[in-house]
Amino acid sequence: MGLSNVLKLHFDIPANDFVSAGEASSSVKKTLSQLGIAPQVIKKSAIAMYEAEINAVIHANGGTADIEIDQDKVIIKIQDEGPGIPDLDLAMQEGFSTAPDTVRQMGFGAGMGLPNMKRYADELKINTEVGRGTTVIIRVNFA
Amino acid sequence: MGTYFHSVNLDEEKCRGCTNCIKRCPTEAIRVRKSKARIINERCIDCGECIRVCPYHAKKAISDPFDIVNTFKYKVVIPAPSLYGQFKAVYSRNHILTALKIIGFDEVYEVAKAAEIVSSATRKLMKKSDVKKPLISSACPAVVKLIQVRYPSLIENIVKLESPMEVAAKVAKMEIAESKNIAPEDIGVFFITPCAAKVTSVKARYENGSSFVDGVISIKDVYLKILSSLGKVRNIEDLEQAGFEGIRWANSGGESLALETEKFLAVDGIHNVITILEEVENDRLEDVEFIEALSCVGGCLGGPLTVENVYVAKTRLKKHLDAAKAKGSDVHEDEKEYSGDFALTGNVECKPVMKLDIDLAKAMKKLETLELINKELPGLDCGACGAPSCRALAEDIVRGNANETDCIFKLREKVRQLAVQMMELEAKMPPVLDKGIG
Ligand SMILES: Nc1ncnc2c1ncn2[C@@H]1O[C@H](COP(=O)(O)OP(=O)(O)O)[C@@H](O)[C@H]1O
Ligand code: SF4
Ligand code: SF4
Ligand SMILES: [Mg+2]
């Protein structure tokens, strides 16, 4: 097998599992530190990915995470087949959340996930279709 | 920097290679090789978890022997507040401090007093607008090291103040040199420590210059000496200087309570600390401006080099706290006097010991190989290979420190393959002897 110059990682994000939610982003964080990536870059990637991962858990019955790392960036793709986001501009607003009370009591659903992703990602792409699902693509540059 | 000093070490003779310790280590610093545990020096944060968990007491902390005090003319002891929790509550704090003088010290300066100075400086720091919040206490050196090794993005949150121990040593030395007119080099300052992490923080300060502490003696090592001196005390001297706020630092939460804010979080036990640091790193903690994180369950009273059970010690400390409270004080009156003197001089450096290679391209290749190897391992994390998990073994293999056949399952697979090959070979007869029907 020839070693490529892109490192790929794959994770399944289980549905409604609040205890293990965040494991994929933790694992990516560990990977990035093993690569010697700068701490602040790791932090940006970890927060952005964590929020996307949590969204897949609480809003979309879980999904998958695919990570691609090359010499100068990490690309994080979180995909789900959940309900989709009807009004993305509205969802992007700080504090907007449709999370039910039960979820909120667990400390999730402050409506800051999407705004934080925007803040920490160098590029954020969201493809969403009601009834079909959502794909969030986060790019964080190493330099 | 030279060799990397840390206090926690192995007693080769006692270690049976049982692998109990490898999974408890928060930085995956231990491997068992040739039936002996080995600590990967640069990863060890001196938390003492392995000391606690080893059934054969084969993990020990290197600290200074009591005799070290004799190398100085004027001997000053600076006891950690956790010392007060080690003795029966009938002995007052002054009684314990007097006993310290009987065992051979000329003077006593309570670290609890210095803790109050640090609290005062921290209160000021909290009011500044340009500090990164939540601030994370720098009092526990094991936690600081953990952050350097595993959470480098949180380094800027660390309170850049010297620890109460260091402040106590500095103040004691300066005050005594001046009031008694003794040359500073003749004054030896000795810390009585509850833990290995404090030993390391004195012996290996790296970026922070040399310590004002001249020796670190463990509570365990002086316990009996103090105990027998407690009975010899005739006149109890008035040596206490600290109020309850300083003494309370021995408890988890003690440092936070002195800060005059509700927005604090106090966490103790290194594995709990890790959970909280993950939360901070994910930006998940709301309304928290100060984090007191202590490596030991129960705080310093639960230090690995203490003698008394942490919960018993807690009850005993409560008596001292009540006594100090009854005495009054603690009105933060010297808020100005100590300002600015105790800032950490150097930087807290990032120690990226998890890095697979300094070259990113090479690190990526190693990581890819690591993942491939990991996929082939059974995923049982049984520890029989001497590594804490299958993934850690994969990492060791990539780093060139282990082989795939260290995994007993892999080894069995190989043996089975070999056996099949041997059977096949055995079935093949040399042509001259082959009497096959032809
Ligand atoms: N993967 C997703 N699938 C469906 N809806 C989503 C998804 N991600 C976000 N949303 C919608 O966008 C809203 C805002 O998301 P976010 O900013 O992360 O806040 P929060 O998750 O706290 O509600 C959510 O409440 C939800 O209605
Ligand atoms: S002291 Fe802590 S970090 Fe060091 S080897 Fe033991 S468990 Fe690991
Ligand atoms: S909590 Fe206290 S006793 Fe335990 S390692 Fe930290 S400083 Fe030492
Ligand atoms: Mg969210």
Side-chain angles (χ1 to χ4, degrees):
Chain A
M1 195 217 68
L3 293 171
S4 55
N5 39 20
V6 180
L7 190 72
K8 294 181 183 171
L9 305 170
H10 174 86
F11 303 89
D12 288 321
I13 304 171
N16 291 314
D17 185 347
F18 293 95
V19 181
S20 61
E23 270 180 8
S25 43
S26 262
S27 174
V28 169
K29 203 154 76 177
K30 190 168 177 190
T31 300
L32 292 175
S33 60
Q34 285 185 314
L35 292 176
I37 303 302
Q40 291 313 319
V41 174
I42 298 180
K43 186 175 179 180
K44 281 165 65 178
S45 322
I47 297 182
M49 176 169 173
Y50 175 80
E51 293 291 357
E53 188 184 349
I54 293 293
N55 278 357
V57 174
I58 62 180
H59 303 299
N61 286 314
T64 54
D66 287 279
I67 320 296
E68 284 187 23
I69 303 168
D70 69 19
Q71 291 267 4
D72 30 56
K73 62 182 177 303
V74 54
I75 292 177
I76 299 157
K77 186 163 104 182
I78 311 275
Q79 238 169 329
D80 67 59
E81 293 173 5
I85 306 171
D87 186 342
L88 190 55
D89 287 335
L90 184 63
M92 290 301 297
Q93 283 178 19
E94 288 193 6
F96 176 84
S97 175
T98 59
D101 280 349
T102 46
V103 167
R104 257 175 245 219
Q105 273 155 17
M106 302 180 81
F108 301 99
M112 289 303 293
L114 288 168
N116 270 342
M117 277 180 240
K118 181 109 199 122
R119 188 163 136 224
Y120 289 110
D122 288 307
E123 189 192 10
L124 175 69
K125 276 193 248 170
I126 300 173
N127 300 318
T128 183
E129 203 182 320
V130 172
R132 305 208 58 166
T134 303
T135 302
V136 175
I137 302 172
I138 295 157
R139 175 167 59 80
V140 178
N141 300 333
F142 294 161
Chain B
M1 206 182 282
T3 46
Y4 190 99
F5 174 90
H6 65 97
S7 168
V8 174
N9 269 275
L10 185 80
D11 185 334
E12 289 259 345
E13 285 188 359
K14 288 186 181 163
C15 176
R16 300 213 198 154
C18 69
T19 73
N20 267 308
C21 57
I22 57 178
K23 284 194 191 200
R24 277 298 283 269
C25 174
T27 55
E28 297 191 331
I30 313 174
R31 301 290 184 276
V32 175
R33 295 273 176 274
K34 303 200 172 106
S35 333
K36 299 288 167 202
R38 306 254 173 262
I39 298 177
I40 305 170
N41 290 339
E42 59 278 16
R43 284 196 185 189
C44 175
I45 62 169
D46 284 303
C47 65
E49 281 301 296
C50 55
I51 296 183
R52 292 189 182 91
V53 79
C54 177
Y56 307 106
H57 306 291
K59 288 280 186 2
K60 55 181 192 213
I62 294 177
S63 54
D64 291 313
F66 187 77
D67 290 345
I68 192 178
V69 304
N70 297 323
T71 49
F72 287 84
K73 277 194 198 135
Y74 198 80
K75 308 162 180 67
V76 184
V77 62
I78 54 169
S82 46
L83 181 73
Y84 310 140
Q86 309 301 311
F87 306 99
K88 284 200 178 118
V90 291
Y91 298 113
S92 69
R93 186 152 46 109
N94 270 333
H95 197 140
I96 298 169
L97 296 174
T98 309
L100 282 173
K101 288 184 83 173
I102 292 178
I103 68 172
F105 293 101
D106 298 301
E107 204 147 333
V108 184
Y109 188 96
E110 295 183 85
V111 172
K113 175 66 191 167
E116 288 168 6
I117 300 173
V118 175
S119 287
S120 159
T122 311
R123 282 195 291 272
K124 274 191 214 130
L125 203 62
M126 298 272 295
K127 290 195 188 107
K128 285 195 184 164
S129 55
D130 58 345
V131 293
K132 184 96 182 166
K133 298 227 178 112
L135 280 170
I136 302 174
S137 165
S138 57
C140 175
V143 169
V144 172
K145 192 88 91 24
L146 176 74
I147 292 175
Q148 289 177 286
V149 169
R150 270 187 67 173
Y151 301 95
S153 79
L154 301 179
I155 287 178
E156 46 182 20
N157 297 63
I158 295 175
V159 173
K160 305 294 186 308
L161 290 173
E162 290 287 9
S163 68
M165 170 194 72
E166 203 51 52
V167 172
K170 193 172 174 181
V171 171
K173 211 171 245 187
M174 290 189 321
E175 280 185 8
I176 292 164
E178 207 181 290
S179 66
K180 299 250 155 69
N181 206 8
I182 303 173
E185 59 273 20
D186 286 336
I187 305 171
V189 177
F190 305 96
F191 179 59
I192 310 284
T193 186
C195 66
K198 289 284 185 193
V199 180
T200 305
S201 78
V202 167
K203 308 278 172 196
R205 283 176 41 94
Y206 302 117
E207 51 271 11
N208 287 305
S210 62
S211 173
F212 281 87
V213 179
D214 299 293
V216 188
I217 304 162
S218 78
I219 289 183
K220 269 195 173 138
D221 288 350
V222 283
Y223 178 75
L224 284 177
K225 260 189 197 314
I226 301 174
L227 196 66
S228 62
S229 301
L230 281 169
K232 293 181 201 149
V233 174
R234 295 270 144 66
N235 300 312
I236 297 177
E237 292 182 53
D238 186 14
L239 299 168
E240 331 178 321
Q241 284 179 288
F244 75 92
E245 284 199 340
I247 309 172
R248 197 166 51 186
W249 273 60
N251 269 330
S252 171
E255 180 186 4
S256 307
L257 288 169
L259 293 178
E260 297 172 335
T261 175
E262 309 256 284
K263 298 183 176 174
F264 72 84
L265 182 154
V267 56
D268 54 298
I270 196 73
H271 295 284
N272 299 327
V273 169
I274 286 171
T275 311
I276 293 300
L277 294 181
E278 288 283 336
E279 298 266 291
V280 183
E281 229 182 19
N282 287 342
D283 229 3
R284 288 253 314 144
L285 285 185
E286 286 165 47
D287 274 341
V288 173
E289 296 193 343
F290 184 84
I291 296 177
E292 176 185 339
L294 296 171
S295 175
C296 300
V297 171
C300 299
L301 283 176
L305 306 182
T306 57
V307 174
E308 194 46 87
N309 169 281
V310 52
Y311 300 99
V312 175
K314 229 176 207 168
T315 309
R316 292 175 171 179
L317 192 82
K318 175 129 196 322
K319 291 258 162 63
H320 293 293
L321 284 170
D322 292 343
K325 251 183 215 166
K327 257 186 147 182
S329 78
D330 291 305
V331 265
H332 309 162
E333 83 283 307
D334 38 22
E335 203 85 343
K336 251 164 272 130
E337 206 183 315
Y338 296 104
S339 66
D341 274 333
F342 306 106
L344 267 185
T345 42
N347 281 324
V348 181
E349 280 174 2
C350 164
K351 297 199 178 4
V353 297
M354 304 298 174
K355 204 193 266 196
L356 290 169
D357 202 294
I358 40 168
D359 180 82
L360 177 57
K362 282 185 191 151
M364 280 175 60
K365 278 188 186 149
K366 285 186 183 171
L367 198 78
E368 200 168 1
T369 318
L370 190 162
E371 296 295 345
L372 286 175
I373 297 171
N374 188 34
K375 244 180 233 155
E376 293 302 312
L377 293 173
L380 295 172
D381 296 341
C382 68
C385 61
S389 66
C390 293
R391 200 170 195 281
L393 174 65
E395 189 185 325
D396 290 348
I397 296 171
V398 175
R399 288 184 194 272
N401 301 328
N403 299 306
E404 214 162 342
T405 44
D406 290 350
C407 169
I408 51 166
F409 298 94
K410 280 279 154 193
L411 184 67
R412 240 172 88 180
E413 219 171 82
K414 277 260 155 67
V415 170
R416 195 178 298 136
Q417 280 167 10
L418 276 177
V420 170
Q421 277 175 23
M422 274 168 66
M423 296 289 281
E424 281 169 8
L425 276 177
E426 210 263 345
K428 282 188 186 133
M429 281 299 205
V432 281
L433 297 178
D434 195 344
K435 292 183 191 145
I437 359 150

